[in-house]
Amino acid sequence: MTKPIHGIHHITAISADPQAGINFYSGLLGLRLVKLTVNFDDPGTYHLYFGDAQGSPGSILTFFPYVGARPGKVGEGQVSAIAFSIASSAVEFWALRLARAGISAIGPIERNGRAVIAFADPDGLPLELVADDSRAGKYWAPGKILAEHAIRRFHGVTMAITNHGETAELLKRHLGLKELGTSADRASFRVGEGDNAQYVDLLKPPAGANGRGGSGTVHHIAWRCYDADQPGWRSRIAELGYQVTPIVDRKYFHSIYFREPGGVLFEIATDEPGFTVDQTEEALGSNLTLPDWLEGSRAQIELRLPPVKLPALT
């Protein structure tokens, strides 16, 4: 019997400029560039992974940076906010750091008893920092960002879905998320337990707020499953009537994909083998890594990719 989904594994978004993304997520937010690789389905494009010190599942925000990509529009059928946890004592630090960097932010405001700072990345991707002290992990605290201020794991994710009944049923009944409550426009769920618990909200968007893919929008949400359970998850998703992919080797994890009823692309991914399968923990993100099946084309791939560099923290 397959065990319930036990967390968010990673979230992948689309951006327009790889260097701007590295400057923002590593240089300003202090996340570690855990893996510099390519989109395995389109190796002419980078795939950038940002996360905590070890690239732990639950901390990883990844990007397909399509240079010059058309701006997207966040709306119906899309992720409308990605939330990271910070310590409650770090709220003032991040409010000041974002302001000094010229980032327009809302907050801190209070939501469900927690302080929240809302802002967007250079492509307009909606982000939040949520005060939440119950987070385990090995935080990345480089340069001028102290460990007590470091961004931690995902706090959660919000999806904009008007008629969210079928999506709620999928999350609760089939993926095993716990329903926390509903209101006229929002349904809230918890995935995982204890220090690893994360939160998923389904929020009705304003009328006419249709979404459009492009830079500044989320490509997919990946959920965590136990490695031995993945074949069972594929069978179960297929039995529910979803068009689900075969198990795909992503080198750092194995994945299946399907689109949930509200329109958001879901992935179910394993924790293993992890990001240290081809680099030591100390060397994570320090050079371009490729899967074995692309190594023979490394020279051509490197010629097609725009050069990038890690910035110094400011």
Side-chain angles (χ1 to χ4, degrees), residues 155-239:
H155 177 79
V157 63
T158 301
M159 294 186 281
I161 298 174
T162 298
N163 299 310
H164 54 233
E166 289 184 76
T167 300
E169 187 73 0
L170 172 67
L171 294 176
K172 181 174 60 176
R173 182 176 177 185
H174 301 299
L175 300 188
L177 277 65
K178 180 177 176 56
E179 186 172 4
L180 301 178
T182 59
S183 63
D185 63 351
R186 185 183 292 265
S188 299
F189 303 84
R190 186 186 72 220
V191 56
E193 301 289 341
D195 287 349
N196 289 322
Q198 293 162 318
Y199 300 89
V200 180
D201 278 8
L202 306 181
L203 179 65
K204 293 184 179 179
N210 297 323
R212 182 185 68 233
S215 64
T217 64
V218 166
H219 187 270
H220 64 262
I221 303 171
W223 307 97
R224 297 175 69 183
C225 75
Y226 295 99
D227 295 28
D229 286 345
Q230 188 152 61
W233 274 112
R234 188 185 181 280
S235 297
R236 186 170 179 177
I237 297 300
E239 289 168 0

Side-chain angles (χ1 to χ4, degrees), residues 108-116 130-135 155 199:
I109 59 175
E110 183 177 324
R111 184 196 302 152
N112 298 328
R114 302 182 188 277
V116 179
V130 180
D132 181 357
D133 294 310
S134 60
R135 292 291 159 188
H155 177 79
Y199 300 89

Side-chain angles (χ1 to χ4, degrees), residues 8 11 58-61 82-84 135 153-156 198:
I8 297 171
I11 297 173
S59 73
I60 298 293
L61 178 59
I82 298 168
F84 284 100
R135 292 291 159 188
R153 302 161 63 82
F154 288 125
H155 177 79
Q198 293 162 318

Side-chain angles (χ1 to χ4, degrees), residues 13-32:
I14 299 170
S15 61
D17 182 339
Q19 187 62 60
I22 291 172
N23 293 347
F24 185 83
Y25 286 97
S26 287
L28 178 64
L29 299 188
L31 296 174
R32 187 176 193 184

